[in-house]
């Protein structure tokens, strides 16, 4: 556009006097494109050129290093391994050792069957993939049938088997007795049943307590179980009303058995002798074993049992 007589004239309009139009302005687009292309080409040359050259050189360097390592004597390799730190020694992969396998015991695989609520011996056998025919063969023995058919929740039965073929069954009947049912040595032989009695040490213990609040609290303070306290009250229930006649200051002494095995106390045993002092009067009882069972007597030889007990209801049955 141009300016004439104070007016702005656009170049696409004809001038009033018909004169020539002013020359158009030329744009510099080619130079702008060239200015972008040159730096871009330089960037591509810098990024691709050295890497490409390096990629060609690296295989040759690696091959040269491998050839040099192959020419090294074995002594140099062993020396470098000896000088390596302990953490690095052993990290070099070597031959993979064979996995350790646990060998089966000589008496077969051992499985411990825990008796749950509603479980029977047959259900336990089926759950552990044991042969039912072996179970019926074992139960033909009277002793095995008596001790294996009556199960309580929490009981454990240990079975040794060879791929389901029963070799040995073991069940703990109590702290002393263990039932063993073993397959005969001959192929197809029946089972042999025996009851093993383990050695249990019987120790004699004594306790003395004075009643401050209640009979059971006094027994716990003396370190005896509630079962011993209940038996003690049962011994003297014909002479003392333990529900109404116990007073603060009453005291008792008791001599009883404890059953131990392998240094562990299993449970309390029988009361051997006891003395109870109630309101200043002493009562004594001593255990005596007879042919028809054991019973308790006074030091004078009279039975502690009488026609009537002091309480209208047995103290040991009061909750």
């Amino acid at each position: 556009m141009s300016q004439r007589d104070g007016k702005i004239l656009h170049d696409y309009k004809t001038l009033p006097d018909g004169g020539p139009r002013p020359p158009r302005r030329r744009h510099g687009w080619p130079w702008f494109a060239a200015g972008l292309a040159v730096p871009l080409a330089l960037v591509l040359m810098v990024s691709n050129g050295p890497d490409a050259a390096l990629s060609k050189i690296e295989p040759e360097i690696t091959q040269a290093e491998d050839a040099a390592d192959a020419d090294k004597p074995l002594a140099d390799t062993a020396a470098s391994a000896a000088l390596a730190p302990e953490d690095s020694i052993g990290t070099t992969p070597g031959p993979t050792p064979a996995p350790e396998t646990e060998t089966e015991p000589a008496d077969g695989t051992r499985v411990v069957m825990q008796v749950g609520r509603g479980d029977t011996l047959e259900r336990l056998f089926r759950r552990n993939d044991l042969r039912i025919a072996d179970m019926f063969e074992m139960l033909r023995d009277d002793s095995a049938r008596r001790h294996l058919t009556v199960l309580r929740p929490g009981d454990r039965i240990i079975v040794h088997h060879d791929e389901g073929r029963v070799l040995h069954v073991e069940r703990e009947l109590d702290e002393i007795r263990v039932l063993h049912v073993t397959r005969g040595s001959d192929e197809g032989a029946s089972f042999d049943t025996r009851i093993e009695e383990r050695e249990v040490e019987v120790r004699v213990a004594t306790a003395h307590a004075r009643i401050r609040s209640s009979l059971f609290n006094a027994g716990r303070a003396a370190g005896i179980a509630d079962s011993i306290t209940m038996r003690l009250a049962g011994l003297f229930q014909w002479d003392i009303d333990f529900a109404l006649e116990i007073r603060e200051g009453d005291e008792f002494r008791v001599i009883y058995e404890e059953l131990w095995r392998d240094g562990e106390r299993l449970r309390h045993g029988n009361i051997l002798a006891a003395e109870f002092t109630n309101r200043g009067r002493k009562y004594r009882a001593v255990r005596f074993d007879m042919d028809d069972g054991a019973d308790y007597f006074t030091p004078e030889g009279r039975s502690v049992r009488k026609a009537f007990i002091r309480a209208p209801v047995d103290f040991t049955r009061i909750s």
Side-chain angles (χ1 to χ4, degrees):
M1 59 186 166
S2 61
Q3 184 176 2
R4 185 179 178 182
D5 298 333
K7 296 181 180 180
I8 298 175
L9 301 177
H10 296 279
D11 53 1
Y12 57 85
K13 294 182 178 181
T14 306
L15 296 177
D17 55 1
R21 294 182 179 181
R24 293 184 178 182
R25 183 179 178 181
R26 297 181 179 274
H27 298 282
W29 289 106
W31 293 104
F32 178 75
L36 289 178
V38 171
L40 181 61
L42 292 176
V43 170
L44 293 176
M45 292 176 62
V46 171
S47 60
N48 294 335
D51 289 344
L54 184 60
S55 63
K56 295 180 180 179
I57 297 173
E58 281 183 348
E60 299 177 359
I61 297 175
T62 304
Q63 293 176 0
E65 290 178 350
D66 293 342
D69 291 340
D71 295 337
K72 282 186 179 180
L74 294 178
D76 293 345
T77 306
S80 62
L83 294 176
E86 293 182 0
D87 292 341
S88 63
I89 298 175
T91 58
T92 303
T96 304
E100 298 181 359
T101 57
E102 296 183 0
T103 58
E104 292 289 345
D107 52 354
T109 304
R110 180 178 182 270
V111 59
V112 179
M113 302 189 301
Q114 188 82 19
V115 179
R117 189 168 185 176
D119 278 343
T120 62
L121 187 63
E122 181 179 355
R123 184 175 298 177
L124 294 173
F125 266 57
R126 293 187 184 277
R127 185 184 303 160
N128 292 275
D129 296 328
L130 302 175
R131 290 176 53 177
I132 302 299
D134 291 340
M135 182 197 71
F136 286 114
E137 183 66 25
M138 288 189 303
L139 297 181
R140 292 176 61 181
D141 184 85
D142 294 338
S143 180
R145 183 171 60 255
R146 182 168 60 254
H147 295 296
L148 290 178
T149 54
V150 179
L151 304 177
R152 297 180 299 273
D155 290 349
R156 296 197 319 162
I157 300 177
I158 302 174
V159 179
H160 296 263
H161 67 92
D162 182 11
E163 296 183 355
R165 180 173 177 267
V166 178
L167 304 176
H168 179 79
V169 177
E170 176 182 337
R171 183 191 179 189
E172 185 176 283
L173 303 179
D174 51 37
E175 295 90 349
I176 300 176
R177 300 179 303 156
V178 179
L179 173 71
H180 294 277
V181 182
T182 308
R183 180 183 290 275
S185 56
D186 298 336
E187 183 67 24
S190 59
F191 291 87
D192 299 325
T193 304
R194 64 183 177 89
I195 295 179
E196 174 191 4
E197 291 190 1
R198 294 175 292 184
E199 183 177 355
V200 176
E201 180 184 1
V202 179
R203 302 181 185 180
V204 177
T206 61
H208 169 258
R210 186 181 300 272
I211 298 175
R212 302 296 183 188
S213 58
S214 70
L215 176 64
F216 287 98
N217 287 339
R220 297 188 186 106
I224 63 177
D226 290 346
S227 59
I228 295 293
T229 305
M230 295 288 286
R231 297 180 198 175
L232 179 69
L235 285 179
F236 300 107
Q237 63 180 336
W238 289 274
D239 299 307
I240 305 172
D241 183 353
F242 284 90
L244 301 175
E245 296 180 355
I246 298 298
R247 298 290 184 268
E248 182 180 357
D250 290 352
E251 58 182 341
F252 62 87
R253 303 175 187 272
V254 60
I255 303 174
Y256 60 96
E257 297 175 336
E258 288 182 342
L259 275 65
W260 291 72
R261 187 182 67 226
D262 299 330
E264 179 183 358
R265 186 175 68 183
L266 302 175
R267 59 179 176 86
H268 294 90
N270 300 312
I271 294 178
L272 302 179
E275 177 185 85
F276 201 101
T277 303
N278 175 236
R279 293 186 293 183
R281 186 172 182 179
K282 296 183 182 295
Y283 301 92
R284 297 189 178 103
V286 179
R287 179 184 173 90
F288 183 75
D289 293 325
M290 301 179 293
D291 295 337
D292 56 349
D295 206 344
Y296 291 88
F297 299 85
T298 66
E300 295 77 21
R302 295 191 297 269
S303 175
V304 297
R305 300 176 182 272
K306 298 179 175 60
F308 301 100
I309 60 176
R310 291 285 297 172
V313 180
D314 188 352
F315 172 76
T316 59
R317 298 183 181 274
I318 299 177
S319 59

